[in-house]
Each structure stands twice: as C-alpha cells, then as structure tokens.
C-alpha cells in the first residue's frame, strides 16, 4: 500500500464577525463544512478533534501572531503558502479579499505551537483581547503600492495601541512583494527598506514615541522565493522559550561531529525553528529546505506504511536529488557498521531508548526517515527525523561523514534530549 498523503491537513480555522463592517466570511476552500456556530471544520490529524474552540484555555495560552496590513498586501497569501502549502501562483486566482478575522492553529510539533490571526485589510483596531496575549505583530506592507504614507501612519497607530496594551509584543514589518520589475536588483530592495524605515521613524516621533524605544525588525519578503520562509522562521524562533537550549544542543552536536551547520526544521511548513550559533547562510537554508521536499516527495511515492512492515516487507527508501547535475543522493534507514568512536551529547543511553517509534499509520514520514545528498563540491547534506514532524538537517564535509555511526549515535542522543525537553515543558 502506498501512502497517498504524507501531510494531513493540520490547520483549523474559525470565522469571527466581531469587527464591525467585516461581517462576511469569504473563504475559498475545497468544500469544507461549517457548523451552526460558524466554525470551519477541517479534517485534522488522527485522534485529534476536527474543530477548535479558541476560547479553550489550552488554545488561548498559545502564542499569537497577528497579521495586519492594507488590502491586497499579501497577508492571507503568506499564511496559505507557508502553512497550507498552496502554490504561490494559485494565490493569484484562488484567494479573494479577506472580509473577516481568520484564525488558525499551527501545531505540527510540540516545540512549535502558536495561533495565527489574519485580519481583514485596513483593519488596525484592537483591544486587550487582540493585543493583550499577542507575542508578535506582523505588519505586511505592499512594496509595489507607493506612496506608503497613509499605510505607515495606520501602522504607527496600531503599534502605539499594541505597545500600550502589551509592552512585550514584538513588532515585525514584512515589506512584501519585492519580486516585481521594480525590484530586479538588490539595491532597489534595500532602498525600499530604507525608505520604509525612515518613514516609520518619522511617524513614531510624530506620535510621541522614540524610535529607539520600539524594537521593530524589517524583512524583505516574497512568496515566490525563500525570503518569506526566512522571515517567518525568525518570527517563530522568538516564540520558542526553549530556543537557547535548542541552540546549545545543536552547537554541541556540530562540535562533536565536526559539522559545518545544523538546522531543526518543521517539516510541514519548512520553517527552521533553531540552528547552532554559527552564522546562517541562506543559500544553505534553501538547500536544506529543498532536501525536505525531495524526501517528502519520494517518500510519498515509495514510502511503506507500518501495515506493510507487519507483513514482513522491508522499509528502505532511496531519494534521488541534488543541488547540481554532478551531485549524487542516497537515503536509507538504520545505522552503519559499529564504530569504535562514540561521542555523546548528554548521558549514555540504551539504543532502544533513543529510537522510540512515534509513527502516524498513514504517513510515509516517520522515525526511520533519513536521507543523504552528496554534492559535487565535497559537502554532504544529511537529514534525520528527530521528533514528530521535526527534522534535523546537517551540512558537513564528506571526509567528516565517514564516521556515520558516530553521527547517528549523537543524533540519537539529541532526539532523547528533545523528548526530555518536551516532557519537561508539559509538566
């Protein structure tokens, strides 16, 4: 039996008609049904409820990301492309203007859980309910819609109100749609960002706020390249309280195994939620992200489900993919021959404790998922599942990859540490 779907729908949505004139829920979907209370019912993971009560304390306690900005700025397109895997080109004809608040839960992995509130265009109001529990406010500016004066004035009003109600809220500005003919060069993109930053500083001063007292981060984004994944990865990382611990674990792994770089990726959204303290090269992040696509695509075709394993079939998958024509790829489960050198990240642990099975019966991506891609420049990309919908992607030199059993053992220790971290957080 082949797996027809690797990633079940994980997004649950709900409409809200509490915002004045925005009383029409305009969702373009695939035949999902609404219940009597207006809740959009979307099939969830096995064993999980299909509807979501956002007033539930467990849901309400999750960090909130607020998406605000002008009409046609690209807020809903960003959410659909990242969290619902919609093709960027489909957003041109499948999405209509958002008319009411849309809320979604992102709960792919225990280490990264939050809710996304997508507001209608040109809506900048809010009270304690909106801004009080928000961890991050993302203001999306359409870089192609000049001048920005009116939009940035509204942004300043929203920021002033948000900081007054929640001094700890993080402000992010996505300068979106930097993919048109006006932004063919990097210089034009940087000029646009500089103009926006200057105008925001002027507006804050006019509102009586010192620009130095408001921490605002600016990102140049487009749904047609990897820039939007980079920007949202930075936003999501600030929502993870265990981030320093994750960075320290990856730093130890990199040093023990002589790796160049290591990333923890949310497999569903392809956002990297942590990396080691070394500098981040976005080209390497793109390679790792593309590797996840290769593994999921090949696993969806050739992956074997647990029912086949019970019948005695072997579960070995081969991935073919590379960043250039001269690159070779291999993917297999299990460990190499025993190695005399063993490094540890944490304490010594029995092998059976390191490889607990946490498998979705309908998913081809499980605890045995792994892949190796060898590049022609002598570098090796190594992907290994480390937790539920969480993948470790390492970049190392080929000469340092010869001790693969040492790397596998250390990754096993990392998996044990991640599970202990999740269990501690749940207590």
């Amino acid at each position: 039996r082949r797996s027809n779907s690797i990633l079940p729908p994980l997004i649950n949505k709900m409409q809200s008609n509490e915002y004045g004139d925005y009383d029409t829920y305009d969702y373009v979907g695939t035949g999902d049904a609404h219940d009597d209370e207006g809740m959009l019912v979307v099939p969830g993971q096995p064993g999980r409820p299909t509807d979501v009560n956002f007033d539930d304390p467990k849901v309400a306690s999750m960090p909130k990301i607020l998406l605000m900005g002008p009409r046609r700025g690209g807020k809903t397109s960003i959410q659909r492309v990242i969290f619902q895997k919609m093709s960027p080109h489909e957003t041109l004809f499948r999405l209509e203007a958002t008319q009411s608040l849309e809320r979604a839960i992102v709960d792919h992995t225990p280490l990264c859980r939050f809710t996304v509130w997508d507001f209608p265009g040109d809506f900048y109001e809010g009270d304690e309910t909106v801004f009080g529990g928000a961890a991050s406010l993302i203001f999306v500016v359409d870089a192609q819609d000049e001048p920005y004066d009116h939009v940035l004035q509204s942004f300043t009003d929203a920021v002033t109100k948000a900081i007054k109600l929640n001094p700890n809220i993080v402000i992010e500005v996505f300068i979106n749609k930097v993919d048109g003919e006006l932004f063919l060069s990097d210089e034009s993109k940087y000029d646009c960002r500089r103009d926006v930053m200057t105008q925001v500083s002027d507006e804050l001063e006019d509102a009586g706020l010192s620009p130095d007292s408001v921490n605002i981060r600016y990102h140049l984004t487009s749904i047609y390249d990897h820039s939007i994944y980079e920007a949202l990865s930075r936003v999501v990382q600030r929502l993870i309280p265990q981030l320093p611990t994750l960075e320290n674990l990856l730093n130890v792994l990199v040093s023990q195994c002589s790796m160049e770089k290591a990333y923890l990726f949310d497999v569903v959204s392809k956002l990297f939620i942590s990396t080691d303290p070394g500098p981040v090269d976005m080209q390497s992040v793109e390679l790792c992200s593309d590797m996840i696509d290769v593994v999921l695509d090949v696993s969806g075709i050739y992956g074997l489900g647990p029912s086949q394993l019970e019948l005695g079939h072997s579960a070995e998958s081969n991935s073919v993919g590379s960043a250039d024509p001269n690159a070779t790829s291999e993917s297999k489960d299990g460990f190499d021959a025993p190695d005399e050198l063993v490094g540890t990240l944490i304490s010594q642990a029995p092998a059976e404790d390191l490889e607990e099975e946490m498998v979705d019966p309908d998913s081809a991506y499980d605890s045995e998922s792994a892949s190796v891609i060898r590049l022609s420049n002598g570098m090796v990309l190594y992907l290994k599942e480390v937790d539920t919908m969480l993948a470790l992607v390492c970049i190392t030199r080929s000469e340092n990859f010869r001790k693969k059993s040492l790397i596998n053992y250390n990754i096993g220790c990392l998996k044990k540490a991640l599970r202990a971290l999740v269990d501690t957080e749940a207590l």
Side-chain angles (χ1 to χ4, degrees):
R1 181 179 61 87
R2 291 182 179 178
S3 173
N4 295 323
S5 176
I6 303 173
L7 303 176
L10 301 177
I11 304 292
N12 293 280
K13 292 189 175 295
M14 177 180 178
Q15 76 170 36
S16 174
N17 296 325
E18 304 169 353
Y19 295 93
D21 297 335
Y22 300 106
D23 56 359
T24 304
Y25 186 74
D26 219 355
Y27 174 80
V28 181
T30 56
D32 298 312
H34 295 266
D35 62 12
D36 294 337
E37 298 179 357
M39 183 175 295
L40 182 64
V41 178
V42 179
Q45 288 181 305
R48 292 191 177 185
T50 56
D51 55 1
V52 175
N53 179 13
F54 283 87
D55 294 326
D56 183 275
K58 292 184 179 179
V59 177
S61 63
M62 291 182 179
K64 290 190 303 186
I65 295 179
L66 309 180
L67 282 173
M68 291 186 174
R71 294 180 183 271
R72 315 302 301 179
K75 303 180 296 299
T76 303
S77 297
I78 290 173
Q79 180 186 352
R80 299 291 172 83
V81 168
I82 299 296
F83 300 117
Q84 292 187 272
K85 316 316 296 178
M86 179 179 286
S87 168
H89 297 284
E90 286 184 286
T91 62
L92 297 175
F93 57 87
R94 287 192 59 187
L95 294 182
E96 298 180 9
T98 303
Q99 301 296 331
S100 71
L101 171 65
E102 295 183 13
R103 294 185 285 186
I105 289 183
V106 179
D107 187 10
H108 307 148
T109 171
L111 289 172
C112 186
R113 292 171 171 166
F114 55 91
T115 59
V116 179
W117 293 36
D118 182 11
F119 288 89
D122 296 326
F123 177 84
Y124 309 111
E125 301 297 326
D127 53 16
E128 180 69 25
T129 304
V130 175
F131 294 119
S136 180
L137 168 61
I138 299 177
F139 193 88
V140 181
V141 179
D142 186 351
Q144 302 180 20
D145 187 18
E146 295 185 280
Y148 311 124
D149 299 355
H150 177 68
V151 172
L152 295 182
Q153 183 178 2
S154 301
F155 164 71
T156 304
D157 294 340
V159 169
T160 303
K161 184 175 296 184
I163 293 178
K164 181 178 179 181
L165 294 172
N166 182 4
N168 297 322
I169 194 171
V170 177
I171 310 299
E172 312 274 356
V173 176
F174 283 10
I175 306 172
N176 198 34
K177 299 185 181 180
V178 289
D179 46 45
E181 59 183 11
L182 298 176
F183 304 98
L184 297 179
S185 65
D186 290 339
E187 182 179 356
S188 59
K189 297 178 183 179
Y190 298 147
D191 288 343
C192 177
R193 181 172 61 182
R194 183 167 54 252
D195 292 342
V196 171
M197 293 173 63
T198 301
Q199 292 187 46
V200 168
S201 298
D202 294 341
E203 292 289 346
L204 289 175
E205 289 181 350
D206 293 341
L209 290 176
S210 172
D212 297 333
S213 65
V214 183
N215 184 17
I216 303 177
R217 298 195 303 180
Y218 299 84
H219 309 267
L220 296 168
T221 62
S222 169
I223 60 174
Y224 293 98
D225 57 32
H226 203 269
S227 60
I228 187 61
Y229 291 91
E230 175 191 359
L232 269 176
S233 294
R234 302 295 187 186
V235 173
V236 170
Q237 287 174 19
R238 301 184 72 163
L239 306 181
I240 304 175
Q242 308 96 330
L243 182 62
T245 304
L246 294 176
E247 291 178 346
N248 185 52
L249 288 171
L250 292 176
N251 186 41
V252 175
L253 175 67
V254 167
S255 61
Q256 290 288 339
C257 300
S258 301
M259 296 176 177
E260 300 298 312
K261 197 68 180 171
Y263 299 93
L264 276 179
F265 274 89
D266 174 10
V267 173
V268 182
S269 63
K270 294 194 301 180
L271 302 178
F272 69 96
I273 65 173
S274 183
T275 183
D276 61 276
V280 175
D281 177 16
M282 290 317 302
Q283 290 185 344
S284 66
V285 175
E286 289 187 48
L287 279 176
C288 297
S289 180
D290 292 340
M291 184 182 190
I292 293 175
D293 284 335
V294 171
V295 172
L296 294 182
D297 291 343
V298 174
S299 297
I301 300 173
Y302 301 105
L304 303 178
S307 58
Q308 287 181 303
L309 299 180
E310 293 174 359
L311 296 176
H313 294 280
S314 60
E316 178 178 347
S317 66
N318 294 316
S319 295
V320 179
S322 63
D324 54 70
N326 298 322
T328 60
S329 168
E330 60 183 88
S331 172
K332 63 182 181 179
D333 301 329
F335 295 91
D336 285 348
D339 195 286
E340 67 275 11
L341 297 178
V342 176
T344 60
L345 284 175
I346 45 178
S347 60
Q348 300 285 344
E352 58 270 16
D353 292 338
L354 301 177
E355 296 292 336
E356 297 178 9
E357 293 290 336
M358 299 176 63
V359 186
D360 181 353
D362 297 323
S363 176
Y365 181 84
D366 54 29
S367 62
E368 298 299 321
S369 295
S371 180
V372 178
I373 295 181
R374 301 180 184 273
L375 306 179
S376 59
N377 61 0
M379 303 300 290
V380 176
L381 304 179
Y382 185 34
L383 180 146
K384 190 79 170 147
E385 188 271 356
V386 292
D387 202 354
T388 306
M389 290 301 166
L390 195 65
L392 173 71
V393 184
C394 309
I395 303 176
T396 185
R397 299 183 182 276
S398 56
E399 57 267 25
N400 296 328
F401 194 68
R402 295 170 183 169
K403 303 293 185 180
K404 188 178 176 183
S405 57
L406 168 65
I407 296 175
N408 282 334
Y409 182 86
N410 282 336
I411 292 177
C413 294
L414 175 66
K415 293 175 68 172
K416 181 181 177 182
L418 290 176
R419 292 173 187 173
L421 190 63
V422 172
D423 294 340
T424 301
E425 185 70 17
L427 293 178

